[in-house]
Structures are given as C-alpha cells and as structure tokens.
Amino acid sequence: VLRNQGPLGLYRGLSAMIIRDVPFSALYFLGLETFKSIMSESSQLGSWGVHHYRENGMKPPASVEVLQSFVSGAASGAIAVVLTTPFDLVKTRRQVASQREGVKQSTFGYMRQIVQEEGLFAGLWRGNVIRMIKVAPGTAIMISCYEFGKRFFEGVM
C-alpha cells in the first residue's frame, strides 16, 4: 500500500469508518442505557431483575446485573448494526476497491452506486445478518465483562 499509494493509502476508507463507528457507538450506548434502565425498573422479571432485589432492600447479585447487561448489550448492538450496516458495507468496498483500482469515490457516491446497481435493501444491507451474528454477541460479551469487572474490582481501586 505504501509503495503504490503512499502514506495516504493507509487511510483509505477512514471517512466511511468514522461515518459507521460514530453513529454505531452513539446508538449502541443510548440503547444500552435505555434497555438497562427498562430492565432495572421492571417488576415483571422477578428474581431475574434488579428491581426485585432493590424493592426488598438487597443488593442485586452480580449474576443478575451481568445478565441484564448481556441482554441489553445484545439488543442495543443488534439495533446499532441494522442502522449502520450500509456504512460498514461502503467502508469495506471502498477499502477493497482502493487496493485494486485506486478509486477515489466518496462514501455517498458508493452508496448511490450500490443502490442503482443492487437496490436499496438488497444492496446496502447485504451482509447484515452475518454482521449481526458477529456484533450482537460481541457487544453483549464486551459489556458483560466490563460490568462484571467493575463489580469485581469495586472497592479495590
């Protein structure tokens, strides 16, 4: 890449990645906090919910908090994936095309081309299911480990 495209070649697809990652993170954390709040306040979950323990004056077990984080992380990750897949698709295609052809088409130019050639949903959401299979469990595991670690090291640091 450096030999053929110079130092700027290392940054091909950067704008598409930023356009994908910033909304993904915003949607993910907004959804995460929303789902966690809804689950924490729900009395429908019984002993599987934080509300049950707080209502009875007890500290919820780590397993309940981690489970709620896991479910919230998976749900918010899935929603963020659905809404940002078009940008992920464009990022990948721009990076591949720049290696082969040295193409300098914009992110939205690629989106227009994909819609014209492949259709709106069939084109821009190609690979959505596979991405969701990868990302939703990954975000669930990541946030669960974070919440568990936060609880585990409580009072240590």
Side-chain angles (χ1 to χ4, degrees), residues 57-68:
M58 298 183 291
K59 185 175 182 176
S63 59
V64 170
E65 290 181 337
V66 169
L67 178 63
Q68 286 189 1

Side-chain angles (χ1 to χ4, degrees), residues 12-24 77 80-97 107-108 110-111 114 123-135:
R12 291 266 184 253
L14 178 64
S15 62
M17 184 193 69
I18 290 170
I19 290 171
R20 175 200 64 181
D21 286 353
V22 170
F24 179 91
V81 162
V82 168
L83 297 174
T84 60
T85 289
F87 299 110
D88 185 61
L89 178 80
V90 169
K91 174 205 61 89
T92 302
R93 289 192 182 184
R94 279 188 75 186
Q95 288 172 332
V96 170
T107 298
F108 292 103
Y110 266 107
M111 291 179 115
I114 291 167
L124 289 179
W125 274 271
R126 181 176 304 252
N128 182 62
V129 172
I130 298 299
R131 187 168 175 243
M132 195 175 300
I133 289 170
K134 173 189 152 242
V135 174

Side-chain angles (χ1 to χ4, degrees), residues 37-88:
S37 176
I38 290 168
M39 291 180 77
S40 291
E41 295 169 10
S42 175
S43 60
Q44 304 295 318
L45 299 174
S47 63
W48 289 96
V50 170
H51 178 78
H52 169 78
Y53 295 94
R54 290 188 180 144
E55 190 175 63
N56 292 309
M58 298 183 291
K59 185 175 182 176
S63 59
V64 170
E65 290 181 337
V66 169
L67 178 63
Q68 286 189 1
S69 293
F70 184 89
V71 171
S72 299
S76 58
I79 290 169
V81 162
V82 168
L83 297 174
T84 60
T85 289
F87 299 110
D88 185 61

Side-chain angles (χ1 to χ4, degrees), residues 101-153:
E101 307 149 11
V103 177
K104 296 185 181 191
Q105 192 171 10
S106 72
T107 298
F108 292 103
Y110 266 107
M111 291 179 115
R112 274 191 299 278
Q113 179 183 346
I114 291 167
V115 169
Q116 289 170 351
E117 294 175 3
E118 302 172 39
L120 180 64
F121 292 106
L124 289 179
W125 274 271
R126 181 176 304 252
N128 182 62
V129 172
I130 298 299
R131 187 168 175 243
M132 195 175 300
I133 289 170
K134 173 189 152 242
V135 174
T139 55
I141 292 166
M142 178 271 304
I143 202 65
S144 299
C145 290
Y146 169 76
E147 293 292 341
F148 178 79
K150 193 168 73 172
R151 176 99 182 234
F152 182 80
F153 290 109

